[in-house]
């Protein structure tokens, strides 16, 4: 395996931050991964996959292992379902498009989410009423300490809203190398409950949508609201939507009856962070090359040469403003790499 030194990571993170890796190596197989993890001359390793959910705030003083393990395989199938195994280095959206070409349903609402398949379970990616956990069967991960492969079923992954075992107790201990999905071959269950999808399908003049139509609708909506990382560096939603208790919500909504909200349970309410940020006046604002997207206040953007620190400063400023104005704490969804 070829090891490069002082390599820029600008093209390896969707924010387009020009941080450097002290050492860098491509990982194309599980054997490569095992070998690289055992190199004692590089004691510190950093795992990099699609680079779509992280903010690099400094150079990485380690050996960066770029996960690029490819492959898709049908594990089993019957008349109705297919179990599909996808290797971690497969680009998520390309994989979703491929499943739609095969007429496999289940992932269509999550079209155009940036990143790779192997990192999708870490934060239980989701969009337009569907989350990864809805079609997830299991994943295979390499345990860093033992270099052994372990299979995690859905329960063991402890999925929550943008959350899983791999963000908590399992953090830093496992590297996901493949994910198994259960997808429908027929009798597709469309999820168009998310208002914007229904409206989009209507505007597209479609009455009996297929899974491909739902995917097209999602792609249209996302392209209107979310910036293309190839054009404008970003990491999708930078913040999570805060979930607050009923008492806190009553107080908040008495003062701000116009605020949108979603009931999570009888006691918990989710308030859109984008609304809170917009009300604080940040939507479309730019500070040097760090900014807030003009069509979606939840997305921070790099207008060209922002450093990770500049983006992080802006994030802190926004968090303080939201806390001051509304008394609500918002926190990053993106991994901040220090
Ligand atoms: N809103 C504003 N200002 C804005 C944008 C939105 O006030 O600039 C309000 C909208 O009017 C709406 C509410 O905020 O009432 C929610 O907006 P939207 O439906 O666009 O979704 P979101 O909560 O902002 C979440 C996910 C997105 C996902 C969409 C659609 C999180 C952190 N984000 O955003 O995920 O695409 O729902 O399902 O949960 C991502 O994780 O990177 C991501 C893009």
């Amino acid at each position: 395996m070829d090891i490069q030194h002082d390599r820029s990571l600008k093209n390896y993170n969707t924010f387009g931050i020009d941080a450097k890796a002290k050492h860098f190596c491509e990982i194309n197989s599980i054997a490569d991964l095992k070998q690289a993890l055992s190199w004692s001359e590089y004691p510190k390793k950093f795992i990099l996959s699609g680079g779509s959910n992280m903010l690099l705030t400094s150079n990485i003083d380690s050996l960066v292992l770029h996960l690029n393990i490819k492959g898709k395989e049908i594990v089993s199938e019957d008349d109705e379902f297919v179990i599909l195994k996808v290797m971690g280095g497969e680009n998520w959206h390309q994989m979703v498009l491929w499943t739609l070409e095969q007429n496999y349903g289940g992932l269509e609402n999550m079209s155009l989410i940036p990143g790779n398949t192997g990192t999708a379970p870490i934060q239980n990616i989701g969009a337009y009423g569907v989350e990864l956990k809805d079609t997830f069967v299991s994943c295979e991960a390499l345990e860093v300490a033992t270099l052994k492969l372990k299979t995690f079923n859905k329960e063991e992954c402890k999925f929550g809203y943008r959350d899983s075992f791999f963000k908590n107790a399992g953090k830093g201990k496992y590297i996901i190398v493949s994910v198994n999905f259960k997808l429908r071959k027929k009798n597709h269950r469309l999820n168009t409950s998310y208002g914007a999808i229904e409206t989009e399908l209507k505007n597209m003049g479609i009455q009996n949508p297929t899974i491909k139509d739902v995917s097209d609708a999602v792609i249209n909506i996302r392209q209107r609201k979310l910036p293309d990382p190839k054009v404008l560096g970003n990491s999708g939603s930078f913040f999570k939507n805060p979930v607050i208790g009923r008492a806190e919500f009553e107080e908040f909504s008495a003062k701000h009856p116009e605020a949108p909200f979603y009931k999570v349970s009888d006691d918990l309410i989710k308030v859109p962070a984008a609304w809170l940020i917009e009300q604080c006046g940040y939507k479309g604002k730019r500070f040097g090359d760090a900014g807030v997207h003009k069509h979606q206040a939840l997305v921070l953007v790099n207008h060209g040469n922002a450093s990770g620190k500049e983006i992080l400063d802006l994030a802190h400023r926004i968090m303080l403003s939201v806390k001051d104005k509304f008394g609500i704490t918002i926190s990053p969804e993106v991994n901040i790499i220090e």
Side-chain angles (χ1 to χ4, degrees):
M1 279 180 281
D2 177 34
I3 299 181
Q4 300 160 39
H5 306 279
D6 291 319
R7 172 162 190 164
S8 168
L9 296 175
K10 194 172 168 66
N11 294 329
Y12 290 87
N13 69 102
T14 58
F15 251 124
I17 303 292
D18 194 8
K20 282 198 171 61
K22 189 153 190 202
H23 315 287
F24 180 96
C25 178
E26 281 295 342
I27 301 295
N28 295 309
S29 66
I30 295 175
D32 282 359
L33 182 58
K34 285 187 183 175
Q35 194 186 343
L37 285 172
S38 61
W39 283 332
S40 53
E41 57 271 48
Y42 301 105
K44 288 192 288 175
K45 279 104 180 167
F46 180 92
I47 306 299
L48 172 67
S49 188
S52 65
N53 199 42
M54 61 179 210
L55 178 65
L56 295 168
T57 61
S58 58
N59 291 333
I60 300 188
D61 185 31
S62 322
L63 170 63
V64 171
L65 303 179
H66 180 236
L67 298 182
N68 195 29
I69 310 175
K70 305 274 193 208
K72 296 190 273 300
E73 175 193 335
I74 291 173
V75 176
S76 64
E77 61 185 316
D78 58 22
D79 265 8
E80 196 131 353
F81 293 103
V82 59
I83 305 284
L84 179 70
K85 176 176 178 172
V86 184
M87 300 310 288
E90 289 285 343
N91 172 273
W92 174 266
H93 179 58
Q94 296 307 321
M95 185 275 290
V96 172
L97 292 182
W98 181 87
T99 62
L100 296 171
E101 273 166 30
Q102 320 306 309
N103 198 32
Y104 298 159
L107 302 177
E108 56 279 2
N109 292 45
M110 293 186 287
S111 298
L112 213 59
I113 295 184
N116 285 350
T117 306
T119 39
I122 300 177
Q123 58 152 336
N124 180 28
I125 60 169
Y128 306 104
V130 175
E131 288 181 317
L132 170 113
K133 71 173 171 52
D134 301 330
T135 47
F136 177 95
V137 177
S138 62
C139 65
E140 213 175 12
L142 192 73
E143 188 173 21
V144 176
T146 61
L147 300 187
K148 290 216 165 83
L149 284 174
K150 182 173 164 49
T151 301
F152 289 85
N153 65 25
K154 195 192 280 196
E155 201 184 289
E156 289 165 319
C157 290
K158 298 195 179 356
F159 291 124
Y161 165 59
R162 296 290 191 279
D163 200 28
S164 79
F165 166 80
F166 301 103
K167 265 182 117 170
N168 296 289
K171 192 169 178 175
K173 295 186 183 143
Y174 295 93
I175 300 166
I176 298 174
V177 295
S178 69
V179 183
N180 283 14
F181 299 94
K182 183 175 181 177
L183 303 175
R184 265 187 184 277
K185 290 165 70 177
K186 59 182 187 190
N187 302 327
H188 294 305
R189 309 277 156 89
L190 301 186
N191 189 330
T192 55
S193 57
Y194 209 90
I197 297 191
E198 267 189 356
T199 313
E200 186 65 29
L201 287 167
K202 251 185 223 136
N203 292 344
M204 288 159 65
I206 288 166
Q207 265 151 24
N208 296 308
T210 62
I211 49 177
K212 182 73 173 67
D213 295 328
V214 173
S215 166
D216 288 343
V218 167
I219 290 173
N220 290 344
I221 301 168
R222 287 187 75 102
Q223 280 177 338
R224 271 203 303 272
K225 292 214 302 203
L226 299 169
D228 177 353
K230 289 197 193 88
V231 180
L232 187 61
N234 76 91
S235 218
S237 300
F238 192 90
F239 301 99
K240 286 193 272 195
N241 287 324
V243 177
I244 59 178
R246 162 108 359 231
E248 194 184 345
F249 176 71
E250 299 290 347
E251 204 181 307
F252 163 78
S253 83
K255 286 189 212 145
H256 309 282
E258 73 288 10
F261 63 91
Y262 313 95
K263 208 171 127 178
V264 177
S265 68
D266 281 348
D267 304 320
L268 295 173
I269 290 103
K270 196 186 267 184
V271 181
W275 187 86
L276 300 170
I277 296 168
E278 184 170 344
Q279 297 302 307
C280 290
Y282 281 100
K283 190 166 178 173
K285 282 275 158 65
R286 180 170 174 172
F287 304 84
D289 270 355
V292 178
H293 188 48
K294 58 181 180 202
H295 300 309
Q296 167 52 286
L298 205 49
V299 177
L300 300 190
V301 294
N302 175 5
H303 285 284
N305 293 310
S307 68
K309 286 222 162 61
E310 287 169 304
I311 306 265
L312 188 59
D313 283 349
L314 173 57
H316 283 146
R317 210 194 288 195
I318 291 172
M319 286 155 72
L320 279 176
S321 288
V322 169
K323 184 76 184 168
D324 267 4
K325 191 171 167 76
F326 297 105
I328 293 179
T329 302
I330 57 169
S331 52
E333 189 226 86
V334 166
N335 290 314
I336 314 289
I337 313 296
E338 319 212 52

